[in-house]
Structures are given as structure tokens and as C-alpha cells.
Amino acid sequence: MISVQDIRQKFTIIRDQIEKKVFDSYLLDYIETPIIDEDKLLILISIMDRLELSFSDIQNYALSIMLIQIALDTHEHISNESKDEKNRQLTVLAGDYFSGLYYKHLADSEDIMMIKSLSKGVKEVNENKIFVYQCNPEGIEKLMISMKRIESSLLTKLSDYFKVDLWNDFLANLLFFKRLLNEKKQYFHSESSILFESLKNIIFPGNETKLKELTGEQRNYLLQICDHYLELSKQVIEKGVKQLPYLNDLLEKRITMLLNQYKPYAKSFVEEG
């Protein structure tokens, strides 16, 4: 079993380095604070910690991948409806700036094959974002596969590169599970969600009704579909926790916390709505 203290120290050091890179005081006056996905960072460190890598290499790879993840997330949050053009321009520039940091750190590693591998991951993320954000995907299964790839492609490319792809199905479902939880929470709180918007267009084609104007029965049906995929991913995650030999206590605790956040809400949503 990996020492939790060792993992926690490595996690804290690298997270602090990321914060120093992305929390630019000027940019933060105009854009939303960049979100560091700590679960992805913990998974990255957990994968690499079992390999014969120096801590310097772990830092460089983890920092590079998290920077491009933040760049992709920053570009995703640009609002076409924003009335503040300066805000939009700075958000674009911030995303480009984080991308530049990513390429610099990878260049410093002089690992051409890793650069090529992660470039494929970035391409895969962007292709699937286009598919999802068109809000008119070809089917529920394809929509969910795209959501899963958006969340996991960068990390699965790293595990492929190091030939530890036994992580792939597990981490893809774990990150997909987390994304579904967040989309569901967002739908409850604001009745706005790219996932639920896409589901609505698939299930109720031609229906121009806004998400918040759907009937209770229609909303309940969308939530049942989301719950179905949450259940499927939960089964894969629980199986992986028992079978993967590389999990550390810190990651196991985080996985348990995520799983415990899931509660089927469909029935209560209709009753309360």
C-alpha cells in the first residue's frame, strides 16, 4: 500500500505549483477563477507514483497535463452571450496562456512521444466537445461516450503511454461519474446543463421548449436516464476499487466520497417540482 502521507505531500506540492501558475492577479479581476480538478491531479499522481519516475518527472507531467486541462476548461466557459467583450477576450487569452504554459513544460521534458500522445488526447477532447455542444447528437449512447472521453482522454493517453492501460476503464468511469453528478447538480440548481440540453434534444426532437419549461414527467425521464448511466459507472468503479492493485488510501477515500454523493433524485424532483 502506498503511504498516504507521501501521496498527500506530492499532491500538495504539485497543486501549489499549479496555483502559482494559473492564479494570475490581473486575469482574476476579469475572469472566473480557474478550477483545478483535484481528482484528476490525484489520479495522475497515483498512476505515476507506481512507476520508476523521479518526483521531478512526476511534477512535470502532472503540471503539464493539468495546465492543458485548465486551458480546455477555460475555453469551454466562454459565454457567447456575455455583454462584456473584454471579459470574453481575456478568457480566450487566459486559455491560450495556460496552453502556452503546457507546451513549455512538455518541451522542457524533451519527451517528444509524450507530446504526441497528449496532442492526440487534446484533439479527442475537442472533437467530442464539438459533438456534445452541437446539442443535437445522434443518440444517447454516443452522447454519453463523448462526455466520458471529454473527461478522461488526457489521462487515458498518459496511462497508454506508460503501458498501464488497466487504469483506463476505471478512471474513465470515475471521471464520467463525477461529471454526471455535476451536470445533475447544475440542472437542479439552475435548470441549465449541456448534458440535459442534449438529452432533451435526443428524447424530445423538435421540442423547442426550454429545459426549465418541461413538464415534471419529462424532467423525471431525463433524470432517470442520467441515473441509469450513474448506476452503470458506479458498478465499474466499485469493481475497480476491489481489483486495481495500485490504489492508495487517499484516492480510495476520495472515490468513496464521490460514490456517496450519488442519490437517485428523479422521484423527488417531480414531487418537489
Side-chain angles (χ1 to χ4, degrees):
M1 182 66 70
I2 306 172
S3 168
V4 172
Q5 189 62 28
D6 287 345
I7 288 291
R8 184 174 287 115
Q9 287 175 339
K10 292 172 183 177
F11 173 83
T12 301
I13 290 169
I14 297 173
R15 183 192 60 196
D16 290 347
Q17 289 177 332
I18 297 169
E19 289 179 351
K20 289 177 182 178
K21 294 288 185 182
V22 302
F23 290 170
D24 182 277
S25 58
Y26 177 76
L27 284 175
L28 293 181
D29 285 339
Y30 297 95
I31 67 170
E32 295 181 15
T33 303
I35 297 174
I36 299 172
D37 191 323
E38 296 190 353
D39 292 317
K40 290 182 180 178
L41 176 58
L42 179 56
I43 292 170
L44 284 170
I45 296 171
S46 298
I47 292 173
M48 291 188 287
D49 196 65
R50 297 292 296 186
L51 305 173
E52 294 182 1
L53 296 174
S54 67
F55 181 56
S56 176
D57 284 340
I58 293 175
Q59 285 177 295
N60 196 48
Y61 288 133
L63 185 56
S64 297
I65 293 172
M66 292 307 298
L67 283 171
I68 193 58
Q69 183 67 65
I70 292 168
L72 290 167
D73 292 343
T74 300
H75 281 145
E76 185 174 338
H77 291 148
I78 297 170
S79 172
N80 291 325
E81 298 178 357
S82 174
K83 296 180 181 180
D84 189 343
E85 185 61 25
K86 183 176 183 180
N87 177 278
R88 294 190 69 250
Q89 291 176 348
L90 283 171
T91 303
V92 171
L93 290 174
D96 292 344
Y97 171 66
F98 301 146
S99 294
L101 292 176
Y102 151 73
Y103 285 111
K104 178 184 183 301
H105 278 275
L106 270 187
D108 289 343
S109 72
E110 299 182 350
D111 192 335
I112 302 302
M113 296 308 295
M114 174 63 85
I115 294 173
K116 289 182 178 179
S117 182
L118 291 180
S119 294
K120 291 179 182 177
V122 172
K123 180 173 181 287
E124 193 170 289
V125 169
N126 285 327
E127 287 175 347
N128 282 281
K129 280 187 177 181
I130 291 171
F131 180 80
V132 170
Y133 278 78
Q134 284 177 341
C135 286
N136 191 27
E138 299 172 13
I140 295 173
E141 189 64 24
K142 288 188 176 181
L143 169 65
M144 295 303 183
I145 289 172
S146 284
M147 294 294 289
K148 187 178 291 185
R149 287 175 177 166
I150 288 169
E151 292 303 311
S152 62
S153 286
L154 288 177
L155 275 69
T156 56
K157 289 296 183 289
L158 176 114
S159 61
D160 285 341
Y161 177 80
F162 286 117
K163 302 187 188 310
V164 287
D165 54 0
L166 74 166
W167 276 87
N168 285 1
D169 194 40
F170 173 77
L171 71 85
N173 277 279
L174 178 61
L175 296 173
F176 177 56
F177 184 87
K178 179 182 175 180
R179 177 65 184 260
L180 291 182
L181 286 179
N182 289 337
E183 291 286 336
K184 193 173 179 180
K185 185 184 299 182
Q186 185 178 353
Y187 183 44
F188 271 117
H189 290 166
S190 65
E191 294 187 323
S192 173
S193 158
I194 184 63
L195 172 68
F196 282 86
E197 187 68 43
S198 295
L199 282 175
K200 177 183 78 71
N201 290 339
I202 294 170
I203 298 167
F204 310 119
N207 188 339
E208 299 297 329
T209 304
K210 295 181 180 179
L211 274 176
K212 63 182 179 181
E213 296 172 349
L214 293 176
T215 66
E217 183 179 359
Q218 289 172 325
R219 287 179 288 173
N220 185 51
Y221 188 48
L222 296 183
L223 285 161
Q224 286 177 347
I225 292 170
C226 184
D227 283 347
H228 171 69
Y229 283 91
L230 279 164
E231 291 285 356
L232 292 177
S233 285
K234 182 181 179 183
Q235 292 173 16
V236 176
I237 296 165
E238 290 174 336
K239 183 178 179 181
V241 168
K242 296 176 182 178
Q243 294 183 346
L244 275 175
Y246 306 117
L247 294 183
N248 55 75
D249 289 343
L250 187 59
L251 182 54
E252 284 193 35
K253 288 179 181 177
R254 178 55 188 162
I255 291 168
T256 300
M257 288 177 61
L258 275 174
L259 292 177
N260 288 339
Q261 287 180 25
Y262 168 57
K263 306 291 182 192
Y265 289 134
K267 183 178 179 181
S268 61
F269 187 93
V270 173
E271 291 173 350
E272 294 171 6

